[in-house]
Amino acid sequence: MAKKKIVVLTGAGMSAESGLKTFRDANGLWEGHDVMQVASPEGFANDPELVLEFYNQRRRQLLEVAPNKGHHDLAAMETDFDVHIITQNVDNLHEQAGSSKVLHLHGELLKVRSTENENDIRYWEKDLIVGDVDQNGHQLRPHIVWFGEMVPQLDNAIAITKKAEVLLIIGTSMQVYPAASLIHYVRMGTPIYFIDPKSKVGASDFPNLQIISKTASEGVSEVIRMLQKT
Ligand code: OAD
């Protein structure tokens, strides 16, 4: 029998228990930064050093943390389910935990690309500085989808979401589009579980939505128990 298809949309709250800050919680990443200065093409053109240092800090931090129980439990779900993860996160903690199908909507911290050729993408662990260039002398930039830029993986994410038999949303404020719009692409009647201690999505808008007001690791265990009963 084919395994049930579980689509999981994750946000920064997924990695909070690993020690990575979310963006919009109190003391979150955006509290100390002007978003447009560090996460937009205009910001990069205006002050590349500032932008590169912001992502260098994120990259250094990522190299010091590890996946949490929630990441590991999602990876282990592949034994019983066909699990597709669509993440807004730029860390690689889902992959580190062993998840095999991970789509990054907003790019990846451990990759950089040429400012001239978006297909020239390299794996990158060290700091990226002004003067790090491709073979034609063009500056390299973080492989991150900034505000105002296209989301190249969106169509793939929509196609995956349309086939979901269960949608699991974890640790996202659902403030950033188009990622937040994915919830609208599930087939009618598809069960949706939303794990977030402070979920802001109205249950009344989605008749099949169940809110689980817990952390990612606690909530994933609970959803696994529920899915095993169905
Ligand atoms: P946000 O910071 O907007 O939201 C984080 C969510 O995680 C909130 O709803 C919190 O309640 C929840 N949360 C906090 N701790 C949690 C925990 N331990 N377990 C589960 N949930 C927890 O982050 P995102 O929704 O991911 O984009 O933000 C979306 C995008 O905005 C990011 O991908 C980033 C940002 O600008 C780019 O940089 C392109």
Side-chain angles (χ1 to χ4, degrees), residues 40-76:
S40 75
E42 295 78 14
F44 186 54
N46 193 40
D47 191 345
E49 271 100 358
L50 176 84
V51 175
L52 293 181
E53 182 49 24
F54 176 76
Y55 289 101
N56 287 340
Q57 281 177 19
R58 309 276 78 72
R59 196 177 306 106
R60 279 181 231 138
Q61 219 167 37
L62 170 57
L63 294 172
E64 284 169 9
V65 303
N68 63 59
K69 182 173 181 299
H71 293 106
H72 287 297
D73 285 352
L74 286 175

Side-chain angles (χ1 to χ4, degrees), residues 146-157:
W146 284 327
F147 286 96
E149 294 188 312
M150 302 281 287
V151 180
Q153 289 295 336
L154 182 64
D155 287 347
N156 289 337

Side-chain angles (χ1 to χ4, degrees), residues 119-132:
N119 298 316
D120 181 356
I121 300 168
R122 298 123 193 253
Y123 183 78
W124 198 272
E125 280 193 355
K126 57 185 186 184
D127 282 359
L128 182 66
I129 55 172
V130 172
D132 284 330

Side-chain angles (χ1 to χ4, degrees), residues 11-13 23-25 30 88 106 145 147 172-173 176 196-197 200 216:
F23 294 93
R24 295 176 183 78
D25 286 302
W30 288 157
Q88 298 169 80
H106 291 164
V145 176
F147 286 96
T172 169
S173 61
V176 172
D196 192 306
K200 291 150 204 104

